[in-house]
Amino acid sequence: MLKKLTVVFALTCPQVAFALVPPDYQEPPSDLTAEIEAGFQLNTGNTESSSFNGRTKLVYDTEQTKQEGTIKAYFAADNEKTTAEKYDLQLQSSYKINGGYFFGRGDFTWDQFGSYTRISTVSGGYGFDAISSSKTNLSLEIGPGYRYNLPIATDDMPIPEANKDVILRTAAKFEMKLQEYTSLNADLTAETGEDNNTLTLDMSYKNTLFQDWAFKIGVNVKYTEVVPEGSKQTDTITTFNLLYTFQ
């Protein structure tokens, strides 16, 4: 009798273990996603150089809220001096409702060689998904805000006066999965104010190399209608980065 019980137990244990932990089992996705990338850049516009850039993005997405934070750093130098030094900080908090979400957002830029060396924009409003599918997503946002711009010092104005403006911010965020391992992202943001208007296009193409590693090409184009004398209205940054995703 004991031998029969032993045989039955030995035969049933593998089936029980297989039922509890199937071979294709994967851990459930986490609410927290992080991206870290670094690589080479080309600058045209107010700065002409090529050098290093880095970016870190954190997203905490739950059923009710979504928190996003992005830090970007750009640095370039030639044989004689630093030619580009820029830091961007973007923060957004969204509260989801049926059919859309309310958001609060802050955009902060420190740019030593830009037409404006300090840019701070705080905005809020409403957003919704105009298109949402397994391969394509388009989100639209609109809301009022406040912008602080500090122009770069010039010979005519060695101590520049900051511009403070109430704005209307509109944004379109587009994501498309082209193939299993490739994707395209494009963000278009317009800030309309009484004293100045800006239009920013941020595009990227990502190709997964293996597992969590990907190669990413990015282009950031910003047009500013009113700039200090001697500055260009359009700044362009092109990046070629290696990206790693934590999930």
Side-chain angles (χ1 to χ4, degrees):
M1 183 66 180
L2 181 59
K3 291 183 178 180
K4 292 182 179 180
L5 291 175
T6 303
V7 172
V8 172
F9 180 78
L11 292 175
T12 56
C13 277
Q15 282 78 3
V16 173
F18 179 80
L20 294 176
V21 185
D24 58 347
Y25 172 79
Q26 295 181 353
E27 292 290 338
S30 172
D31 294 334
L32 180 64
T33 303
E35 293 182 350
I36 297 178
E37 64 181 81
F40 179 74
Q41 78 180 51
L42 297 173
N43 283 14
T44 62
N46 289 300
T47 56
E48 299 284 347
S49 60
S50 60
S51 192
F52 173 81
N53 78 91
R55 170 183 170 271
T56 300
K57 181 178 181 179
L58 298 175
V59 178
Y60 185 68
D61 193 358
T62 65
E63 293 184 0
Q64 293 294 327
T65 63
K66 184 177 183 180
Q67 318 296 332
E68 301 175 78
T70 304
I71 301 175
K72 301 178 182 179
Y74 308 92
F75 180 83
D78 55 25
N79 294 331
E80 298 179 355
K81 60 181 180 179
T82 300
T83 58
E85 186 175 356
K86 180 181 179 182
Y87 306 95
D88 289 332
L89 174 63
Q90 300 169 349
L91 302 171
Q92 180 163 328
S93 178
S94 304
Y95 180 78
K96 301 176 184 179
I97 59 174
N98 291 333
Y101 56 91
F102 292 105
F103 71 90
R105 182 179 178 90
D107 294 87
F108 309 94
T109 297
W110 298 264
D111 190 355
Q112 184 177 351
F113 298 92
S115 57
Y116 291 93
T117 59
R118 301 288 186 274
I119 304 175
S120 299
T121 304
V122 179
S123 60
Y126 175 76
F128 66 97
D129 291 333
I131 302 175
S132 181
S133 66
S134 59
K135 292 186 176 182
T136 305
N137 189 81
L138 174 63
S139 299
L140 304 177
E141 296 179 352
I142 187 171
Y146 175 82
R147 182 177 59 208
Y148 170 93
N149 284 350
L150 180 63
I152 192 172
T154 61
D155 294 337
D156 296 336
M157 190 176 295
I159 304 178
E161 182 179 353
N163 173 262
K164 303 173 183 178
D165 203 3
V166 176
I167 64 167
L168 176 66
R169 176 184 176 273
T170 56
K173 302 179 180 181
F174 178 76
E175 301 177 11
M176 175 179 285
K177 189 173 182 180
L178 302 176
Q179 295 178 353
E180 183 178 359
Y181 299 106
T182 59
S183 61
L184 176 69
N185 287 51
D187 294 348
L188 182 64
T189 303
E191 295 180 2
T192 305
E194 182 178 356
D195 300 328
N196 206 347
N197 302 314
T198 64
L199 184 65
T200 304
L201 175 63
D202 194 358
M203 295 183 62
S204 65
Y205 170 82
K206 184 172 67 173
N207 185 16
T208 302
L209 301 176
F210 51 90
Q211 293 183 347
D212 299 324
W213 291 92
F215 176 70
K216 179 181 175 183
I217 301 175
V219 178
N220 181 280
V221 182
K222 183 175 182 179
Y223 172 81
T224 304
E225 184 176 2
V226 180
V227 296
E229 184 179 355
S231 299
K232 296 182 179 180
Q233 291 178 304
T234 303
D235 281 303
T236 303
I237 299 177
T238 304
T239 57
F240 306 89
N241 289 355
L242 188 63
L243 180 146
Y244 183 78
T245 303
F246 298 87
Q247 291 183 336

